[in-house]
Amino acid sequence: MTTLSPAPTTDPLRVAAESTPTVLWNDSADPDELSRSIGFGAVGATCNPVIALAAIRAHLDVWRPRIAELAVEHPRAGESELGWMVVEELSIQAAALLHPAFVASGGRNGRLSIQTDPRLHRDADALVEQAVHFSGLAENIIVKIPATAVGIVAIEEATYRGVSINVTVSFTVAQAVAAAAAIERGLDRRAADGLPEREFGSVVTIMGGRLDDWLKAYTQKHRILIDPGYLEWAGVAALKKAHAVFVERGYRSRILSAAFRNYMQWSELQGGDLVVSPPFDWQARINENRLPVENRIDVPVDPRIIETLRAKVPEFSRAYDVDGLTPAEFDTFGATRVTLRQFLDADAQLDAIVRDILIPAP
């Protein structure tokens, strides 16, 4: 195990940003949190319906009058349409904060993620059209498309049409590999048709903490007793495995670690050419605890943990193996269903916020 060279600061996040290829993004487009995260070394940000909803709720003093203004400006727009206008404005503001990093990296970093509407998850054409629209909001926008069977189709086509992709609703090595291959096909089609080549900065997320959540729920439901600490390693193991596959196959996209549940989803990935995207509170805790910055990406998870998870939790092997799931099974994997339902619920809650502004309760 090699400790990486310290940077002038003692903050672990800044040390990692300045001395490793591992990149920090902020898991929110909230402008206050993002500004502070950039101070820690962040050069990107991710967002999803749940995160966008939280950011809007945290600044309702700003967004309530703006929603009222948008309703006047667009008198025929419905609740959902107005809600997405707010998400777009939030994303454009956050993208401006990251633009210097975008320019400095030649487009590899400095990107702000905006997620396609989860209500479109059954329609590849609709996902592509919305992705193209979002991509035009700012030159450093990166668009989230889910790693479902339909989403894989949309990822390839959106890449071909010039969209930088952040793959989401992704929890397994199989999903990550399928999504990366789709991005490769899209890029190859662009090259074959003579379309301009550039740095897309595309990333493929594995929501490691949500994989852990699902395996914990699975073991609870099926009355499986296992050392609970082992379940904290499942997401880390999937992320390490996927990163190794990406390096071996030379994919032009990078792995992104999201949905933090423990600090190992940051510390165990240091040294890899990938992205870690903790919520701001996790970043603050990492710095407060002065976690060591060590090159651990190639340090394998304890084989006893892997063997035990394989033996006792069949869902782990489905998540960990490159061929653990077929594309048709992406949609029915437990973590996919749970996450899509949460994203859809966040959409409904944003609609309700807009409704209360348009039609206040008597």
Side-chain angles (χ1 to χ4, degrees):
M1 181 172 63
T2 303
T3 301
L4 299 168
S5 301
T9 178
T10 59
D11 285 342
L13 292 176
R14 175 59 72 175
V15 170
E18 295 180 354
S19 62
T20 83
T22 311
V23 170
L24 175 69
W25 289 13
N26 185 60
D27 198 18
S28 172
D30 180 288
D32 294 340
E33 291 185 353
L34 179 55
S35 294
R36 294 177 66 188
S37 182
I38 290 171
F40 293 159
V43 290
T46 58
C47 197
N48 63 40
V50 175
I51 294 170
L53 177 67
I56 291 166
R57 278 181 169 158
H59 300 282
L60 266 179
D61 58 326
V62 173
W63 291 113
R64 187 182 296 276
R66 181 56 184 147
I67 291 170
E69 291 175 356
L70 288 169
V72 172
E73 295 169 11
H74 304 273
R76 299 179 65 181
E79 297 167 354
S80 180
E81 188 177 356
L82 290 168
W84 277 93
M85 289 179 190
V86 171
V87 172
E88 290 186 13
E89 290 194 5
L90 174 69
S91 300
I92 291 169
Q93 291 174 14
L97 294 174
L98 292 164
H99 194 261
F102 174 81
V103 174
S105 67
R108 185 163 173 79
N109 295 309
R111 293 189 177 273
L112 185 282
S113 300
I114 180 171
Q115 183 157 331
T116 48
D117 190 336
R119 287 171 285 206
L120 304 178
H121 71 94
R122 292 162 53 88
D123 188 337
D125 291 340
L127 287 171
V128 171
E129 291 306 318
Q130 189 175 60
V132 170
H133 167 69
F134 286 161
S135 185
L137 296 176
E139 68 172 342
N140 59 326
I141 290 287
I142 188 170
V143 183
K144 286 188 169 183
I145 297 178
T148 57
V150 166
I152 297 298
V153 175
I155 287 165
E156 177 183 340
E157 182 61 24
T159 298
Y160 172 72
R161 292 181 60 175
V163 177
S164 296
I165 302 294
N166 180 347
V167 177
T168 189
V169 192
S170 174
F171 320 91
T172 70
V173 177
Q175 285 175 290
V177 169
I183 291 170
E184 292 296 313
R185 291 193 298 271
L187 292 173
D188 289 345
R189 287 171 55 198
R190 286 182 60 84
D193 287 349
L195 295 173
E197 294 188 22
R198 59 181 173 83
E199 174 58 72
F200 279 75
S202 292
V203 293
V204 178
T205 295
I206 289 184
M207 306 175 92
R210 285 180 177 266
L211 173 58
D212 293 354
D213 291 347
W214 168 242
L215 296 183
K216 291 172 186 177
Y218 180 89
T219 56
Q220 180 76 13
K221 179 179 179 180
H222 293 276
R223 303 177 62 81
I224 298 169
L225 294 180
I226 187 172
D227 183 331
Y230 284 17
L231 296 170
E232 296 290 324
W233 284 96
V236 170
L239 283 155
K240 284 178 177 276
K241 175 74 167 290
H243 174 264
V245 173
F246 275 42
V247 171
E248 178 187 348
R249 299 187 180 183
Y251 289 145
R252 285 169 278 186
S253 52
R254 288 175 291 174
I255 286 290
L256 184 149
S257 169
F260 273 59
R261 300 295 186 269
N262 64 60
Y263 71 86
M264 297 181 301
Q265 290 159 6
W266 174 81
S267 61
E268 287 290 324
L269 304 177
Q270 293 304 309
D273 182 14
L274 50 78
V275 179
V276 287
S277 183
F280 181 78
D281 185 59
W282 273 104
Q283 296 173 46
R285 282 189 272 174
I286 289 168
N287 276 344
E288 289 164 12
N289 285 272
R290 292 292 185 260
L291 294 184
V293 180
E294 299 172 335
N295 188 339
R296 295 194 58 83
I297 186 62
D298 295 323
V299 177
V301 174
D302 187 334
R304 291 173 299 177
I305 294 175
I306 300 296
E307 292 165 8
T308 302
L309 288 171
R310 281 193 181 280
K312 303 198 74 171
V313 189
E315 289 290 273
F316 172 73
S317 291
R318 299 179 75 206
Y320 186 70
D321 293 340
V322 172
D323 57 355
L325 295 171
T326 66
E329 292 173 319
F330 294 169
D331 302 44
T332 57
F333 189 65
T336 300
R337 290 183 292 173
V338 169
T339 301
L340 276 177
R341 287 179 62 88
Q342 289 177 342
F343 286 177
L344 288 164
D345 182 61
D347 264 355
Q349 291 182 56
L350 180 56
D351 287 352
I353 289 174
V354 176
R355 185 181 311 130
D356 287 343
I357 295 169
L358 296 179
I359 312 171

Short mmCIF file of all heavy atoms in Angstrom, two decimals, residues 45-79:
data_model
loop_
_atom_site.label_atom_id
_atom_site.label_comp_id
_atom_site.label_asym_id
_atom_site.label_seq_id
_atom_site.Cartn_x
_atom_site.Cartn_y
_atom_site.Cartn_z
N ALA A 45 -20.35 18.08 -10.84
CA ALA A 45 -21.48 17.89 -9.93
C ALA A 45 -22.52 16.99 -10.58
O ALA A 45 -22.71 17.02 -11.80
CB ALA A 45 -22.11 19.22 -9.55
N THR A 46 -23.15 16.21 -9.74
CA THR A 46 -24.22 15.33 -10.20
C THR A 46 -25.53 15.77 -9.58
O THR A 46 -25.56 16.44 -8.55
CB THR A 46 -23.95 13.87 -9.84
OG1 THR A 46 -23.80 13.76 -8.42
CG2 THR A 46 -22.68 13.36 -10.49
N CYS A 47 -26.61 15.40 -10.23
CA CYS A 47 -27.92 15.75 -9.72
C CYS A 47 -28.90 14.67 -10.17
O CYS A 47 -28.67 13.95 -11.14
CB CYS A 47 -28.35 17.12 -10.26
SG CYS A 47 -29.72 17.88 -9.34
N ASN A 48 -29.99 14.51 -9.42
CA ASN A 48 -31.07 13.62 -9.82
C ASN A 48 -32.36 14.20 -9.27
O ASN A 48 -32.33 15.23 -8.57
CB ASN A 48 -30.81 12.18 -9.33
CG ASN A 48 -30.76 12.05 -7.83
OD1 ASN A 48 -31.52 12.66 -7.09
ND2 ASN A 48 -29.84 11.23 -7.35
N PRO A 49 -33.52 13.62 -9.57
CA PRO A 49 -34.77 14.23 -9.09
C PRO A 49 -34.83 14.43 -7.59
O PRO A 49 -35.36 15.44 -7.11
CB PRO A 49 -35.84 13.24 -9.57
CG PRO A 49 -35.25 12.64 -10.80
CD PRO A 49 -33.78 12.51 -10.49
N VAL A 50 -34.31 13.49 -6.81
CA VAL A 50 -34.32 13.62 -5.36
C VAL A 50 -33.44 14.78 -4.92
O VAL A 50 -33.82 15.59 -4.07
CB VAL A 50 -33.86 12.30 -4.69
CG1 VAL A 50 -33.75 12.46 -3.19
CG2 VAL A 50 -34.84 11.17 -5.03
N ILE A 51 -32.25 14.88 -5.51
CA ILE A 51 -31.31 15.94 -5.16
C ILE A 51 -31.83 17.30 -5.60
O ILE A 51 -31.75 18.28 -4.86
CB ILE A 51 -29.93 15.65 -5.78
CG1 ILE A 51 -29.31 14.38 -5.17
CG2 ILE A 51 -28.99 16.84 -5.61
CD1 ILE A 51 -28.07 13.90 -5.89
N ALA A 52 -32.40 17.37 -6.81
CA ALA A 52 -32.95 18.63 -7.30
C ALA A 52 -34.10 19.10 -6.40
O ALA A 52 -34.20 20.29 -6.07
CB ALA A 52 -33.44 18.46 -8.74
N LEU A 53 -34.95 18.16 -6.01
CA LEU A 53 -36.06 18.50 -5.11
C LEU A 53 -35.53 19.09 -3.81
O LEU A 53 -36.04 20.10 -3.31
CB LEU A 53 -36.90 17.26 -4.84
CG LEU A 53 -38.07 17.41 -3.87
CD1 LEU A 53 -39.14 18.33 -4.44
CD2 LEU A 53 -38.66 16.03 -3.53
N ALA A 54 -34.50 18.46 -3.24
CA ALA A 54 -33.92 18.95 -1.98
C ALA A 54 -33.34 20.34 -2.15
O ALA A 54 -33.49 21.21 -1.27
CB ALA A 54 -32.86 17.98 -1.48
N ALA A 55 -32.66 20.58 -3.28
CA ALA A 55 -32.05 21.89 -3.52
C ALA A 55 -33.11 22.97 -3.66
O ALA A 55 -32.96 24.09 -3.15
CB ALA A 55 -31.19 21.83 -4.77
N ILE A 56 -34.21 22.65 -4.34
CA ILE A 56 -35.29 23.62 -4.51
C ILE A 56 -35.97 23.90 -3.17
O ILE A 56 -36.25 25.05 -2.82
CB ILE A 56 -36.30 23.11 -5.57
CG1 ILE A 56 -35.62 23.13 -6.96
CG2 ILE A 56 -37.57 23.95 -5.58
CD1 ILE A 56 -36.37 22.34 -8.01
N ARG A 57 -36.22 22.84 -2.40
CA ARG A 57 -36.84 23.04 -1.08
C ARG A 57 -35.96 23.86 -0.16
O ARG A 57 -36.44 24.66 0.65
CB ARG A 57 -37.12 21.68 -0.44
CG ARG A 57 -38.40 21.02 -0.93
CD ARG A 57 -38.61 19.70 -0.25
NE ARG A 57 -39.95 19.18 -0.51
CZ ARG A 57 -40.29 17.90 -0.42
NH1 ARG A 57 -39.36 17.00 -0.08
NH2 ARG A 57 -41.52 17.52 -0.66
N ALA A 58 -34.64 23.67 -0.27
CA ALA A 58 -33.72 24.40 0.61
C ALA A 58 -33.69 25.89 0.29
O ALA A 58 -33.26 26.69 1.13
CB ALA A 58 -32.31 23.82 0.49
N HIS A 59 -34.13 26.26 -0.92
CA HIS A 59 -34.10 27.67 -1.33
C HIS A 59 -35.46 28.10 -1.87
O HIS A 59 -35.56 28.80 -2.87
CB HIS A 59 -33.02 27.87 -2.39
CG HIS A 59 -31.64 27.53 -1.93
ND1 HIS A 59 -30.87 28.35 -1.14
CD2 HIS A 59 -30.88 26.40 -2.13
CE1 HIS A 59 -29.71 27.77 -0.89
NE2 HIS A 59 -29.69 26.59 -1.47
N LEU A 60 -36.52 27.70 -1.16
CA LEU A 60 -37.87 28.07 -1.63
C LEU A 60 -38.08 29.57 -1.60
O LEU A 60 -38.92 30.10 -2.33
CB LEU A 60 -38.93 27.37 -0.78
CG LEU A 60 -39.47 26.05 -1.34
CD1 LEU A 60 -40.50 25.45 -0.40
CD2 LEU A 60 -40.05 26.21 -2.73
N ASP A 61 -37.32 30.28 -0.75
CA ASP A 61 -37.43 31.74 -0.74
C ASP A 61 -37.05 32.33 -2.09
O ASP A 61 -37.55 33.39 -2.49
CB ASP A 61 -36.55 32.32 0.35
CG ASP A 61 -35.08 31.94 0.21
OD1 ASP A 61 -34.81 30.80 -0.24
OD2 ASP A 61 -34.21 32.76 0.54
N VAL A 62 -36.17 31.61 -2.81
CA VAL A 62 -35.76 32.04 -4.16
C VAL A 62 -36.69 31.45 -5.22
O VAL A 62 -37.14 32.17 -6.13
CB VAL A 62 -34.31 31.60 -4.45
CG1 VAL A 62 -33.93 31.89 -5.90
CG2 VAL A 62 -33.35 32.30 -3.49
N TRP A 63 -36.99 30.17 -5.10
CA TRP A 63 -37.69 29.48 -6.16
C TRP A 63 -39.21 29.70 -6.14
O TRP A 63 -39.85 29.63 -7.19
CB TRP A 63 -37.37 27.99 -6.14
CG TRP A 63 -35.96 27.72 -6.54
CD1 TRP A 63 -34.95 27.24 -5.77
CD2 TRP A 63 -35.38 27.98 -7.83
NE1 TRP A 63 -33.78 27.16 -6.48
CE2 TRP A 63 -34.01 27.61 -7.75
CE3 TRP A 63 -35.88 28.48 -9.04
CZ2 TRP A 63 -33.15 27.73 -8.83
CZ3 TRP A 63 -35.01 28.60 -10.12
CH2 TRP A 63 -33.68 28.22 -10.01
N ARG A 64 -39.79 29.99 -4.99
CA ARG A 64 -41.24 30.23 -4.96
C ARG A 64 -41.62 31.42 -5.84
O ARG A 64 -42.49 31.30 -6.71
CB ARG A 64 -41.71 30.43 -3.52
CG ARG A 64 -43.23 30.53 -3.38
CD ARG A 64 -43.63 30.77 -1.92
NE ARG A 64 -43.26 29.64 -1.08
CZ ARG A 64 -43.99 28.55 -0.92
NH1 ARG A 64 -45.14 28.43 -1.58
NH2 ARG A 64 -43.59 27.58 -0.13
N PRO A 65 -40.99 32.59 -5.67
CA PRO A 65 -41.35 33.70 -6.56
C PRO A 65 -40.95 33.44 -8.01
O PRO A 65 -41.64 33.91 -8.93
CB PRO A 65 -40.59 34.90 -5.97
CG PRO A 65 -39.52 34.32 -5.11
CD PRO A 65 -40.07 33.03 -4.60
N ARG A 66 -39.86 32.68 -8.22
CA ARG A 66 -39.45 32.41 -9.60
C ARG A 66 -40.46 31.50 -10.28
O ARG A 66 -40.77 31.70 -11.47
CB ARG A 66 -38.06 31.78 -9.62
CG ARG A 66 -37.55 31.47 -11.03
CD ARG A 66 -37.55 32.70 -11.91
NE ARG A 66 -37.16 32.41 -13.27
CZ ARG A 66 -37.64 33.03 -14.34
NH1 ARG A 66 -38.55 34.00 -14.19
NH2 ARG A 66 -37.23 32.72 -15.56
N ILE A 67 -40.98 30.52 -9.57
CA ILE A 67 -42.01 29.65 -10.14
C ILE A 67 -43.24 30.46 -10.49
O ILE A 67 -43.87 30.26 -11.55
CB ILE A 67 -42.34 28.50 -9.17
CG1 ILE A 67 -41.15 27.53 -9.09
CG2 ILE A 67 -43.60 27.74 -9.63
CD1 ILE A 67 -41.28 26.50 -7.99
N ALA A 68 -43.60 31.40 -9.61
CA ALA A 68 -44.77 32.26 -9.89
C ALA A 68 -44.52 33.09 -11.15
O ALA A 68 -45.43 33.28 -11.98
CB ALA A 68 -45.03 33.16 -8.69
N GLU A 69 -43.28 33.59 -11.31
CA GLU A 69 -42.95 34.35 -12.52
C GLU A 69 -43.03 33.47 -13.76
O GLU A 69 -43.57 33.90 -14.81
CB GLU A 69 -41.54 34.93 -12.40
CG GLU A 69 -41.39 36.02 -11.38
CD GLU A 69 -39.93 36.46 -11.22
OE1 GLU A 69 -39.04 35.84 -11.86
OE2 GLU A 69 -39.68 37.41 -10.46
N LEU A 70 -42.49 32.26 -13.67
CA LEU A 70 -42.54 31.35 -14.82
C LEU A 70 -43.98 31.02 -15.20
O LEU A 70 -44.29 30.88 -16.39
CB LEU A 70 -41.78 30.05 -14.49
CG LEU A 70 -40.25 30.18 -14.43
CD1 LEU A 70 -39.64 28.92 -13.83
CD2 LEU A 70 -39.68 30.42 -15.83
N ALA A 71 -44.84 30.89 -14.22
CA ALA A 71 -46.25 30.59 -14.50
C ALA A 71 -46.89 31.73 -15.29
O ALA A 71 -47.72 31.49 -16.19
CB ALA A 71 -47.00 30.35 -13.20
N VAL A 72 -46.50 32.97 -14.98
CA VAL A 72 -47.02 34.13 -15.72
C VAL A 72 -46.43 34.16 -17.13
O VAL A 72 -47.12 34.42 -18.11
CB VAL A 72 -46.71 35.44 -14.97
CG1 VAL A 72 -47.08 36.65 -15.82
CG2 VAL A 72 -47.46 35.48 -13.63
N GLU A 73 -45.13 33.86 -17.22
CA GLU A 73 -44.46 33.88 -18.52
C GLU A 73 -44.94 32.76 -19.44
O GLU A 73 -44.90 32.89 -20.67
CB GLU A 73 -42.95 33.74 -18.32
CG GLU A 73 -42.31 34.92 -17.59
CD GLU A 73 -40.87 34.63 -17.17
OE1 GLU A 73 -40.32 33.60 -17.65
OE2 GLU A 73 -40.30 35.41 -16.39
N HIS A 74 -45.39 31.65 -18.85
CA HIS A 74 -45.84 30.49 -19.62
C HIS A 74 -47.24 30.08 -19.14
O HIS A 74 -47.39 29.09 -18.43
CB HIS A 74 -44.86 29.33 -19.46
CG HIS A 74 -43.44 29.67 -19.82
ND1 HIS A 74 -42.96 29.58 -21.11
CD2 HIS A 74 -42.40 30.11 -19.06
CE1 HIS A 74 -41.69 29.94 -21.12
NE2 HIS A 74 -41.33 30.27 -19.90
N PRO A 75 -48.25 30.85 -19.52
CA PRO A 75 -49.59 30.65 -18.95
C PRO A 75 -50.23 29.30 -19.27
O PRO A 75 -51.17 28.89 -18.59
CB PRO A 75 -50.40 31.80 -19.55
CG PRO A 75 -49.65 32.20 -20.79
CD PRO A 75 -48.21 31.97 -20.47
N ARG A 76 -49.72 28.59 -20.26
CA ARG A 76 -50.31 27.30 -20.62
C ARG A 76 -49.50 26.11 -20.08
O ARG A 76 -49.88 24.96 -20.27
CB ARG A 76 -50.43 27.19 -22.14
CG ARG A 76 -51.34 28.28 -22.76
CD ARG A 76 -51.42 28.16 -24.25
NE ARG A 76 -52.07 26.94 -24.68
CZ ARG A 76 -52.25 26.59 -25.96
NH1 ARG A 76 -51.84 27.40 -26.92
NH2 ARG A 76 -52.84 25.46 -26.27
N ALA A 77 -48.39 26.40 -19.41
CA ALA A 77 -47.54 25.33 -18.90
C ALA A 77 -48.18 24.66 -17.69
O ALA A 77 -48.75 25.32 -16.82
CB ALA A 77 -46.16 25.88 -18.53
N GLY A 78 -48.05 23.34 -17.63
CA GLY A 78 -48.57 22.58 -16.50
C GLY A 78 -47.56 22.50 -15.37
O GLY A 78 -46.43 22.99 -15.47
N GLU A 79 -47.95 21.82 -14.29
CA GLU A 79 -47.10 21.70 -13.10
C GLU A 79 -45.75 21.08 -13.43
O GLU A 79 -44.70 21.60 -13.04
CB GLU A 79 -47.81 20.84 -12.05
CG GLU A 79 -49.10 21.44 -11.52
CD GLU A 79 -49.90 20.42 -10.74
OE1 GLU A 79 -49.48 19.24 -10.72
OE2 GLU A 79 -50.93 20.79 -10.16
#
